[in-house]
Every structure is written in C-alpha cells, then in structure tokens.
Amino acid sequence: MSKILQKFLIVNLTIIFILSACRKKEFDEFYGRPETLADPIYQQLQAKGNFTRFLDCIDKSGYKETLSTAGSWTVFAPTDAAFTTYMSENNLTEINATLASAIVRYSMTYDGEKVERLSDNLTAKGFVKNVGFRRRTVYYDFVYDGVDNDGKAIKVIAGNRNGPYLPTDFNNKNLPFFLSPFVTFAGISALDYNYFYPNTEYTGKNVGPGKIIEQDIVAENGVIHIVDKVLTPPQSIDQYISTKAQYGAFKSLLDKYVSYNLNTDITHRYQVLTGKSDNVYAKNYSVLLGFSPNNENYLKEDANDAQIGMYTIFAPTDEAVEAYAKVLLKYYAKNRLQPGNYKAQLNELFSLRSDIIRDFINSHLYRTTVWPSKFNTVNSFLGEATKLTPANVVDKQFLSNGLFYGVNAAQNANVFSTVYGKVNLDPTYYIMKQALDVLGYAIPIKTASLKYIVIPIPDATLVSLGFSYDPFYPSSPIRGDLNILRRLLQTHIIPLGDHAVPNFATTAGILETQGGEYIKYNNGFFSSAGTEDLPAVADKSIKIDSVATAVNGADAYAAKVLMYTVLPVSKHIEKYGTLTTDPYYSFFQYLKNNVTLYTAVTGAIQGVTDGSAYTVFIPTNAAMQAAVTAGLLPKLANGTPNYTPTDAADISKVAKFIQYHIIKSTVASDGQKTGSFESLLKNDSGDAAKVTVFTNTTNTLTLRDVTNTSVNVLLGTTDRSNVLSNRTVIHQINSYLKYQF
C-alpha cells in the first residue's frame, strides 16, 4: 500500500471515529437511562434493608429479573416485621418456593399506579373515578387434582367465564383494597370493612387484611406501596365451599350444574410444562346459574369490570337446607320426609323438577357485591333482596371472586313463598305453572310486594279443556288455543291492591280479576260469568275446598274451573228482561226493538266491542216509566212506553238513552273504582258523555250523571246488580241517568 493511500485511510478513519463518538454521545444523551430515574422495584427494596424476606420470596419465585428490569407493576411489599408476624401466626420456620411464588404474584398488580389512581376503573373509554376496589394480580391457579361427576380422578382447571372456558385467559385472582374515595362513593363505611377484617384498623388505605403504611414509591418499572401484612391469595367461592363440610348439601346441589370438558389447549400446555400425559378438563358451571363460583373474571362486560364488582353468595348450612327441604319437597315427599334423607330426596326432586333446584340455588346468588350494610338493597339473580339479616350469618369471608356469607337459614325466595309458589311447587298444577311462565303472568304474582289471590287450575282440568305442555316445541310448549287459555288464566288471578284476603268461608263479595272481569264469592263458594250460565243450580256455584296463605296473598283451591261466558251482553240482559215482572224488562224491550243498536241474529249491541270492558246501568221498570214521562223515551198515547217506535227521532232517543247507560269500564261494588268514565253516547263532535262513579264501597255504589244528579245502584239482590256478563257487569239503578245532547 502506498504511503499516500495509508495517510488517506488514517485521516478518514480518524474522521469516522470522531463523528461516531459524537453521535454516540448524542444517542446516549437522548436514549440513555436518565441519571435521575429511580431504581427498579427490586433494587429499591434491596436498598431499604427491611424487605429481606420479601426479596427472598422474589428470588425463589423467579421474579427477580422481572422486578429488576423494564415493565409497569404495582407492588404491595410487606416488611420483614410483617413476615415475622405471618410466619408466627402460621407456625412457619421457612417459606418454600410454592408459597413464595403465591405471595409475590398476589402482591403484584398490572400497571404501576399511585394510591390516588387505584380507586379508578380503567375502561375501554378511559378512567372512571372512585368506582374501583380491586385490581387483577399476576397470580392465578393452574391445573389441580379433582374428580369428575362419576367420582373419577382427573386433572382439572377452573372455569374462567360464566360459560365456556377461554384458553387465552389465565383466570387471575384480584386483590381488594379499601381506599377512601371508593368507600365514600359506594356509601359503605369502616363497619363493612371490619365485618370481614375485624382485627385490622380501617384507615382508608387498606389492602385486604393489611394497611398501606408508605405509599407512592416511584420506581423505574412501577410503583411500590409498603404494607404491614403479608398478602396471600384467598380461595375462590368454589374452592372455599368445597373445603367446608357444613355446606355439603348446598354444594351437592351446585355440583348438579357442573360439567367437566376436555380442553386440548390447556392439556397441551400442562403436558409441556410437566412432562406428564394427563388430559386436563375445564370445570364449567351451567349458564343457568347466576354465576360460576370458580370464575375470577366477574362479568367481562368490560375488560376490567372485575375492578368494580364481584359476586356474593349466601350459602345455607346443611341444617338450613334440611329445614327448607320441607318446603321444596312438600308435594313430592308427602308422608315420606324423614330426618336424614332430605339429600336423597332433593336429588330425586332434581331429576323430576330441576327448575325448582335451580331457583333455590339462584335465590342465594348475587351478581354484585352485597356489602354487610346493604343486605336489603341489592337483588339476587332472581331479582329480589335477601330476607336474611346479618344475624343469620355464621361464616363470613372476603374471597378472591366474591363475598361469602354462610347462613343458618335458607332464602325464602318469592318463587316458593308467594301465591305463585304453591302452583310452582305442586306437580298437580304443572301445566298452569308453565303457562304462567310462558304467557307472562308469573312475574306480578311472584312479586312479594304485590298482593294477589290465585285460584290454581289442576292439570287434569286443563287437559280436559284441550291444553297441554310439551317441551318438544321450545318456542311454543303450551299446546291449545292460547287466546282461550289467557282469558282462563286471567279469570283465576285476582289482584288485591291494598285490600286484605277476604274471609271466603263466611262472607260474600265480588272481585275483579286480572283480565278486568269479575268473580263472586258467597259463604264458601265461587261463581263466575260462565258458571252462572249453567242451567243446573248446583253447577252455578263452585265449592272452595281450602285457602292457603302466602307472603303476598292466598291460593284458593276450588273444586272446578271458573269459566268465563261466551254469550253476548244482551243475553244476560234478556235473562232478566223477558217477563213483565223481570227487573230489566222495560230496558230490554227498548233495546231489542232498536234497529240502530241491536242485531237480533247475534245479540250484538252496537258500540260494545268484543274484548273490551263495560258496565251497564239498567233503571228499574218504574224508573224507565219516569224517563218515558219526562220525554227521554218514546211513549204511547196512554203515556206508557212505546217499545217499537217508527219515528226516526224516537228511535234516536232510545239509542241515546241506552248508550248513556253503558260505560267503558267494569265497575262493581268492591270499593275499588271511582271517578269519571266515558259512556257509549257521543255528540256530533265525537266527544263522549261521561258518568261519574261517586261512591264505591262493598255495600254502596253511587253515580252522578252530567246534570250532577245522584243515582244509586240497588245492591243486595243477586238478580239485579253485580250480574256477571261477557267482560261486563250489569247493575240495576233506582233512577235513570240524564244526558244533555
């Protein structure tokens, strides 16, 4: 190489070296670790000197590198003093690698957060202030030894959804904390915290059973909060109840909704990690339950919704389940329920009526947090608040996925304790129960705050009427004419409002049914519009066999079904209006001869529409004569009624008179309805003339017409007032109603 070339190379290399050195300096200044940056979590704990036990756990668990390098973690670090207490309380002389790993992983949550941000919930739309009380930790359970439904030993992994297992989710446990912003937001207090952690002072900066004693230590890879307790992962609801023999009966019912499903993804992962050849089965709870007791993920309606919610379970003890089994088995184990065999009988009931067992379980499951101070403000999966109180709680646990209350009494759920409950539990009324559910009549009658009387209809009766239940048709399991069945069911459901259940045995009265029609009772007998149509006197009234009280009313058991009538309203007027001595005679004669209102072939009255409710007020024959004398109705030369007028004006008079005596609502002497009601009579502008029901009691019914004249309904005579017709009630009145058109 020539000297000139050598010099050229030396010069160029020197320039390159100088330029490279300058650029490296600029690179380090821009991208290098700032001198002011805090040390990583591991190094900071190491420097403090009082975390030797926790650091030893970090080393054993294999998380030293993770906590020494880049990342973003929140670490709740227990002091050496906390470890001394923990080891003494648990009689430990050493912490093995498994326990060390659990302690470290449960003390680490994702994303480094200062205390001021821990109560905020990170959603898909950003942070929501003050609503959070949990964070997902690094800890999760993996495969464990279990048994399948046949008792065969298998490898199991807990379900991680309220439904099918998701292999990409590790089912991480969450760490709870009670910070002042959340406690204020939730409307709870130190009492709620100390209910579960009675030995820890509430400070507004509590994490599980511990307290944050130093906060917001910022590290290169997150934030450290120092705590005075060693935090270990709690069991899930599923894990806890499986280890407590006192809940064996309730757990055995839960187990009926468990399936074990082979999971190839977890099986492969397990085999690679362990070198073993076992298959792994996911333990899944049925979606028919309110939630899966082994699911750590809450609802997953948002990725982080476990930050703001958890489940609650009220688990009845074996004694409580045995006591309530008498309710569940009342109609299935008559004269067979002996002490000690209730578990077998509940198993038998499940095979016959799994819905009863399902509802019993779900009445104890809550898909939200039921704090001790809010027992009666949160609804269960069945939509009702618990009837239990803190006095019933014999065991209380803040578990990893929910609050656990062991209780000495079972929940007396509305599906069993209301008027619906009798129909629900008794197999004699199974078709009616299914029809109530399918057709939408069940919800009101199983609401404890709404008072009802239900008259159950036996299966045998419904079958004889052409109805059945066939689950082979899932979209329409009730077979038969549903329009007829709806009306029949409505006739057997009586809303009470704020009235008490009548004394059916010794009193008489009238009750409005769900469909707006009426039934009557009289000294131990029922009657309806349909039964009163029957020719035989013995069939007109139906004996009330018994009355069973419920939390929201009563079930009245009758010997026969209360049928509705299919006859037109005019036929019930005609029934008491054919003979000159009949109370409706004069009114009916004017009606049947009025060509604009009445159709003789069908008995239809113009303006009275099928499916609508009406009340007909019929003046006495004497009152009709008074109306004739007053010129409101046509008359003969001798002043008596002219029932067959030919003059158009007279025909119109009759029509208007009758129309004003029919209102568009059912009204009976039951103390219920008062106010102004439209009649069938309308002026040329289409405005309806109205009749006012001024007084309504069980023995008085007073009307006022548009002239403010009072008219009384004549009560106490069965063939005059409260006469039942087709969605209509007919009353006799002592005078006539005046209109001003």
Side-chain angles (χ1 to χ4, degrees):
M1 183 182 294
S2 66
K3 292 182 178 180
I4 294 175
L5 183 57
Q6 287 179 342
K7 290 180 179 179
F8 177 79
L9 290 173
I10 291 170
V11 170
N12 278 281
L13 289 171
T14 301
I15 293 171
I16 291 171
F17 177 78
I18 293 171
L19 290 174
S20 297
C22 292
R23 290 187 177 183
K24 182 178 185 305
K25 180 179 179 184
E26 292 174 358
F27 183 90
D28 288 344
E29 288 177 353
F30 189 81
Y31 291 104
R33 185 178 186 278
E35 293 181 1
T36 58
L37 184 65
D39 288 334
I41 292 169
Y42 187 92
Q43 282 77 5
Q44 289 209 45
L45 293 175
Q46 197 173 42
K48 287 183 175 293
N50 62 332
F51 294 93
T52 56
R53 287 285 192 180
F54 189 53
L55 290 169
D56 180 55
C57 289
I58 293 173
D59 294 342
K60 289 179 178 178
S61 65
Y63 274 82
K64 178 178 180 180
E65 182 177 355
T66 300
L67 294 175
S68 299
T69 56
S72 182
W73 310 100
T74 301
V75 173
F76 297 89
T79 62
D80 284 343
F83 268 95
T84 299
T85 301
Y86 173 77
M87 296 177 73
S88 174
E89 291 175 346
N90 291 276
N91 297 317
L92 296 174
T93 57
E94 190 58 53
I95 294 178
N96 60 34
T98 300
L99 179 57
S101 177
I103 292 171
V104 172
R105 292 162 61 205
Y106 189 65
S107 299
M108 295 172 60
T109 66
Y110 293 92
D111 300 322
E113 301 286 7
K114 293 183 177 180
V115 165
E116 66 181 12
R117 182 52 70 84
L118 284 177
S119 292
D120 300 341
N121 177 34
L122 178 58
T123 71
K125 297 181 180 180
F127 281 98
V128 180
K129 297 288 292 181
N130 304 334
V131 298
F133 67 103
R134 303 202 302 159
R135 285 296 173 103
R136 184 168 59 248
T137 71
V138 178
Y139 182 86
Y140 59 88
D141 293 314
F142 193 46
V143 175
Y144 65 94
D145 293 326
V147 294
D148 63 15
N149 293 326
D150 296 322
K152 176 185 175 183
I154 57 172
K155 298 295 182 181
V156 182
I157 192 163
N160 57 16
R161 288 292 187 277
N162 295 325
Y165 185 84
L166 185 66
T168 56
D169 189 303
F170 292 110
N171 211 26
N172 298 64
K173 289 182 184 287
N174 288 273
L175 177 69
F177 36 80
F178 292 78
L179 307 181
S180 295
F182 167 75
V183 170
T184 300
F185 169 83
I188 58 176
S189 69
L191 295 176
D192 294 278
Y193 175 78
N194 289 128
Y195 191 80
F196 295 101
Y197 304 109
N199 299 321
T200 302
E201 176 192 7
Y202 171 75
T203 63
K205 293 181 181 179
N206 297 83
V207 181
K211 302 188 295 286
I212 297 175
I213 55 178
E214 188 176 349
Q215 69 186 56
D216 300 344
I217 302 171
V218 178
E220 177 183 346
N221 55 349
V223 178
I224 305 168
H225 305 295
I226 298 174
V227 293
D228 65 349
K229 296 279 187 181
V230 175
L231 305 175
T232 56
Q235 294 177 311
S236 68
I237 294 172
D238 181 66
Q239 291 169 328
Y240 184 79
I241 201 170
S242 297
T243 63
K244 301 298 179 180
Q246 63 265 41
Y247 310 113
F250 191 68
K251 178 186 177 298
S252 70
L253 299 180
L254 281 170
D255 287 345
K256 296 182 183 305
Y257 291 90
V258 170
S259 62
Y260 294 91
N261 305 292
L262 177 65
N263 190 284
T264 55
D265 292 302
I266 300 301
T267 293
H268 176 70
R269 190 182 305 169
Y270 174 78
Q271 291 174 349
V272 169
L273 290 173
T274 65
K276 298 178 181 179
S277 60
D278 302 84
N279 289 323
V280 179
Y281 297 81
K283 181 180 182 180
N284 294 322
Y285 281 86
S286 169
V287 294
L288 295 175
L289 298 187
F291 61 81
S292 297
N294 56 356
N295 174 30
E296 303 282 358
N297 281 295
Y298 198 45
L299 304 178
K300 276 297 183 183
E301 294 173 350
D302 184 271
N304 294 316
D305 65 5
Q307 293 182 4
I308 63 172
M310 63 194 308
Y311 307 120
T312 302
I313 183 171
F314 288 79
T317 62
D318 285 359
E319 292 78 7
V321 173
E322 181 176 14
Y324 204 76
K326 295 179 175 63
V327 174
L328 303 179
L329 295 166
K330 178 179 179 181
Y331 303 100
Y332 288 87
K334 292 178 180 177
N335 304 318
R336 292 195 302 119
L337 187 58
Q338 300 297 326
N341 73 347
Y342 72 97
K343 293 182 181 179
Q345 292 187 14
L346 288 175
N347 288 335
E348 181 183 351
L349 179 60
F350 177 79
S351 65
L352 296 171
R353 288 283 306 277
S354 61
D355 58 308
I356 291 177
I357 300 300
R358 179 198 66 212
D359 286 346
F360 177 68
I361 294 172
N362 281 332
S363 69
H364 296 84
L365 303 185
Y366 292 70
R367 299 184 81 175
T368 188
T369 315
V370 183
W371 300 107
S373 62
K374 297 182 178 293
F375 264 31
N376 299 318
T377 63
V378 183
N379 286 342
S380 71
F381 187 65
L382 294 187
E384 59 187 273
T386 180
K387 298 177 177 67
L388 304 175
T389 70
N392 294 115
V393 177
V394 295
D395 182 14
K396 51 201 177 188
Q397 302 292 328
F398 202 113
L399 300 176
S400 62
N401 63 343
L403 300 182
F404 183 97
Y405 297 104
V407 288
N408 61 10
Q411 171 78 341
N412 190 22
N414 290 345
V415 289
F416 307 129
S417 61
T418 59
V419 291
Y420 170 84
K422 306 293 190 297
V423 178
N424 182 26
L425 289 170
D426 193 335
T428 306
Y429 306 100
Y430 186 66
I431 298 176
M432 184 180 184
K433 172 260 190 301
Q434 295 295 339
L436 291 171
D437 292 345
V438 172
L439 300 180
Y441 298 117
I443 292 177
I445 63 174
K446 64 181 177 183
T447 301
S449 59
L450 301 178
K451 294 174 66 176
Y452 281 90
I453 295 167
V454 168
I455 304 169
I457 309 172
D459 286 357
T461 301
L462 289 174
V463 169
S464 71
L465 295 172
F467 302 106
S468 62
Y469 173 75
D470 191 344
F472 181 77
Y473 302 93
S475 62
S476 56
I478 306 300
R479 315 307 293 169
D481 189 323
L482 297 187
N483 289 326
I484 293 175
L485 182 57
R486 285 189 179 94
R487 191 171 177 185
L488 193 62
L489 291 175
Q490 289 175 339
T491 306
H492 289 72
I493 300 172
I494 299 104
L496 288 173
D498 57 358
H499 291 255
V501 176
N503 183 345
F504 292 118
T506 60
T507 61
I510 187 167
L511 297 167
E512 184 177 9
T513 68
Q514 183 74 46
E517 299 186 80
Y518 284 81
I519 63 170
K520 292 189 282 190
Y521 61 94
N522 187 2
N523 295 320
F525 289 86
F526 281 133
S527 63
S528 65
T531 65
E532 291 186 353
D533 284 344
L534 297 174
V537 174
D539 294 332
K540 292 180 182 294
S541 295
I542 298 172
K543 187 176 186 300
I544 303 172
D545 291 330
S546 63
V547 177
T549 59
V551 297
N552 65 335
D555 292 82
Y557 296 87
K560 296 179 182 178
V561 67
L562 291 168
M563 291 300 296
Y564 55 86
T565 183
V566 295
L567 297 177
V569 176
S570 64
K571 293 302 180 183
H572 293 102
I573 300 174
E574 180 181 2
K575 180 179 179 180
Y576 300 108
T578 303
L579 304 176
T580 57
T581 56
D582 286 342
Y584 300 167
Y585 176 76
S586 186
F587 186 89
F588 179 65
Q589 298 308 307
Y590 273 116
L591 171 64
K592 78 172 185 176
N593 290 295
N594 191 276
V595 294
T596 63
L597 279 186
Y598 185 74
T599 303
V601 175
T602 62
I605 302 173
Q606 185 182 19
V608 175
T609 306
D610 286 345
S612 297
Y614 302 93
T615 302
V616 182
F617 298 107
I618 299 180
T620 63
N621 293 328
M624 293 292 290
Q625 178 61 56
V628 170
T629 303
L632 293 177
L633 290 170
K635 59 185 176 181
L636 297 172
N638 62 0
T640 59
N642 181 4
Y643 296 130
T644 58
T646 56
D647 180 74
D650 284 343
I651 293 172
S652 178
K653 276 185 180 181
V654 174
K656 289 180 178 180
F657 184 90
I658 292 173
Q659 287 172 331
Y660 190 54
H661 286 76
I662 303 175
I663 64 171
K664 295 181 176 180
S665 177
T666 47
V667 175
S669 57
D670 58 356
Q672 298 281 353
K673 296 176 185 174
T674 57
S676 182
F677 298 90
E678 289 186 356
S679 72
L680 296 187
L681 178 61
K682 295 182 179 180
N683 63 16
D684 293 338
S685 300
D687 298 323
K690 296 181 178 180
V691 176
T692 299
V693 178
F694 183 70
T695 305
N696 187 344
T697 69
T698 56
N699 52 28
T700 303
L701 197 57
T702 304
L703 313 177
R704 285 183 179 174
D705 58 26
V706 293
T707 68
N708 206 32
T709 301
S710 293
V711 176
N712 296 322
V713 173
L714 300 175
L715 299 174
T717 305
T718 57
D719 61 352
R720 287 194 175 192
S721 293
N722 287 326
V723 173
L724 304 181
S725 185
N726 196 332
R727 302 186 189 275
T728 299
V729 180
I730 304 169
H731 296 295
Q732 183 102 80
I733 52 178
N734 70 336
S735 184
Y736 59 87
L737 301 170
K738 304 180 186 71
Y739 60 92
Q740 292 181 327
F741 289 172

